[in-house]
Amino acid sequence: MAAPVAAIATQSVSGQARGAEKGSDILAMTAVDLAAAIRRRDVSSREVMKAHLARVDALNPKFNAIVSRVDGDQLLREAAAQDEDAAKGLFRGPLHGFPHAVKDTAPAQGIAHTRGSPIFRNNIATTDSLVVARMRAAGAIFTGKTNVPEFALGSHTFNPIFGVTRNAYDPSKSAGGSSGGGAVALALRLMPLADGSDFGGSLRNPAAWNNVFGFRPSFGRVPSAPSSDVFGQTFATSGPMARTVRDTALLLSVQAGSDPRAPFSLKDDPAVFTKPLDREWKQKRIGWLGDLAGALPMEPGVLDTCEKALDAFRAIGMSVDTARLDEPADAMWRTAVTLRHWSVGADLLPFADKPEQRAMMKPEAIWEVEGYRKLSARDITEAQMGRTRIYEAFRKAFEAFDFLVLPSAQVFPFDAELRWPTQIANRTMDSYHRWMEVTLPVTMAGLPALSVPAGFGGPRNLPIGMQIIGPNHADLAVLQVGHAYERASPWIGQTLPGAIRAATPRPEAHAASSVQRSNR
């Protein structure tokens, strides 16, 4: 009787293996292809959810990208409800059936909203932010939150509630931040897309360090609501992260669009981001800003890796030449620090004024608050004038170039147990974010910037990226040139984290081992 039992076991496990193989196929799809497959009903929302939850169960305990997880049975019920809608020809939007964890700086109704701070350890959101509401309406099923640094301060994702999020390519290294959980979740295929936000590079650096794409939109492209200051808060913006540029554009089409609560929100139709991104690039010009004429310290290997990646622009017919910004780097830094104190310090002041809450705030948060307390009206006025000079410096550079390119970070991913790098190339960093100085000029200018993977380098062969920067409101053009760069760089999609290869099932081996167990 042993042979028939073995045969039955083989048939049963083969079915399981085919299911596992289908799950792996789902996880390998781009978001654009997955959306099309769901709409064709080639795959069900429930199958999509099961595949992603299995991957989260397998990898998230080691990497800690997704926190405040929603009950799996509840998620499968929500997916089944979306399948019932699909059977009737009713699709909620382009994210129909997509499992999605929201960055923990944005409220999502019914899910913990901690901002990585112990002050909000037990806080449950009672409403959605504007961007979250748009993703929900587009069909996303919220599976939890993605981890962030405390109050999203710093480009290294760790906090006293959930701990450290680890790099997808080397779990001993930092994931970047503040959208570090989202970048790692993307790279490990824990979800098809990721939302994030960006002030000091929070969409750009974690994307660079995890070999994915992160897009900081133009000021006004993705409105923020609710907000306590709709006129003065023009630094941070929400935006998309994804594994391809087309996927990035897909999520931007959901996030973007005007809203009456945001007086500077752009009224362009966001559907433009769903159109093909192909375009001719011959005779267009890239300006390479490098280390801002030697002003920014760079870890050895960062510039070399990025400069090699510039060949992809040449391959699509573009010229690449050295560019300069008229505004000195030190002046841009002083402007950014003052305006960051003004923005971040004002937000954190109510907590710092309460002794019991102040005691729970990390030193970097207190530093921002105390910097804010010292500001005068003259300081802020001069910084705003400095911000105008930064914008003018970029505008002048765009008279000579169609796009500008900068590294997305000044160092490769550092040890996850560090708070932040205190030195780069023998130069001391005087604040928790000085090592990310390379991202702040773009923030101050309010320009669109796409972080694209640039390659792997340094002594441990770790990921780094570059920012493709466009003129004011040229978001679509930046995505188009990023798409062409991606097509000329096939290594990006082919270079997967080792954890994915280890987690991918091998049906033949699985079936054989199961048959052996059934015969014992």
Side-chain angles (χ1 to χ4, degrees), residues 97-225:
F98 274 37
H100 188 93
V102 175
K103 184 176 179 179
D104 200 16
T105 52
Q109 185 177 10
I111 303 176
H113 175 43
T114 76
R115 300 167 65 183
S117 168
I119 296 172
F120 301 107
R121 182 185 299 271
N122 299 315
N123 183 51
I124 304 297
T126 58
T127 188
D128 290 341
S129 71
L130 173 59
V131 169
V132 172
R134 287 178 170 178
M135 293 188 294
R136 191 190 295 273
I141 301 173
F142 297 139
T143 60
K145 291 298 198 75
T146 53
N147 203 24
V148 298
E150 183 179 335
F151 290 116
L153 298 180
S155 202
H156 176 27
T157 299
F158 70 96
N159 63 65
I161 303 176
F162 301 114
V164 179
T165 295
R166 299 180 177 277
N167 191 283
Y169 285 81
D170 184 343
S172 73
K173 301 299 182 182
S174 169
S178 60
S179 308
V184 173
L186 273 174
L188 296 177
R189 276 62 173 170
L190 309 186
M191 58 188 191
L193 295 167
D195 68 285
S197 57
D198 186 294
F199 188 133
S202 292
L203 280 159
R204 291 166 280 167
N205 179 49
W209 281 4
N210 291 279
N211 197 45
V212 297
F213 297 87
F215 184 61
R216 178 189 166 91
S218 292
F219 165 56
R221 180 69 63 196
V222 179
S224 296

Side-chain angles (χ1 to χ4, degrees), residues 345-492:
D347 284 344
L348 298 179
L349 183 63
F351 313 121
D353 278 346
K354 298 176 181 177
E356 70 279 8
Q357 294 186 347
R358 183 185 179 95
M360 291 187 275
M361 296 171 68
K362 69 179 184 178
E364 295 84 351
I366 299 299
W367 182 79
E368 295 285 8
V369 171
E370 296 309 314
Y372 170 72
R373 291 187 197 275
K374 296 174 184 176
L375 293 179
S376 67
R378 180 174 180 175
D379 293 332
I380 297 169
T381 299
E382 290 179 352
Q384 291 286 40
M385 291 178 178
R387 188 181 185 189
T388 300
R389 291 194 301 272
I390 294 171
Y391 178 80
E392 283 299 310
F394 275 102
R395 191 183 65 81
K396 184 176 180 181
F398 284 124
E399 292 175 357
F401 298 100
D402 297 287
F403 303 93
L404 299 170
V405 176
L406 265 171
S408 296
Q410 292 163 239
V411 296
F412 293 102
F414 54 83
D415 286 347
E417 307 312 319
L418 292 176
R419 291 186 75 87
W420 43 275
T422 57
Q423 281 196 336
I424 301 176
N426 297 319
R427 285 167 65 175
T428 299
M429 301 292 100
D430 56 9
S431 77
Y432 74 98
H433 54 358
R434 187 70 186 254
W435 63 277
M436 282 297 297
E437 187 174 353
V438 72
T439 65
L440 286 167
V442 174
T443 297
M444 293 297 105
L447 302 176
L450 176 67
S451 180
V452 299
F456 293 71
R460 297 195 58 158
N461 203 36
L462 295 171
I464 197 71
M466 303 186 298
Q467 305 169 72
I468 303 175
I469 308 157
N472 190 32
H473 297 167
D475 302 58
L476 179 60
V478 169
L479 290 167
Q480 288 171 331
V481 74
H483 174 64
Y485 169 90
E486 179 189 8
R487 293 186 66 181
S489 309
W491 59 268
I492 296 173

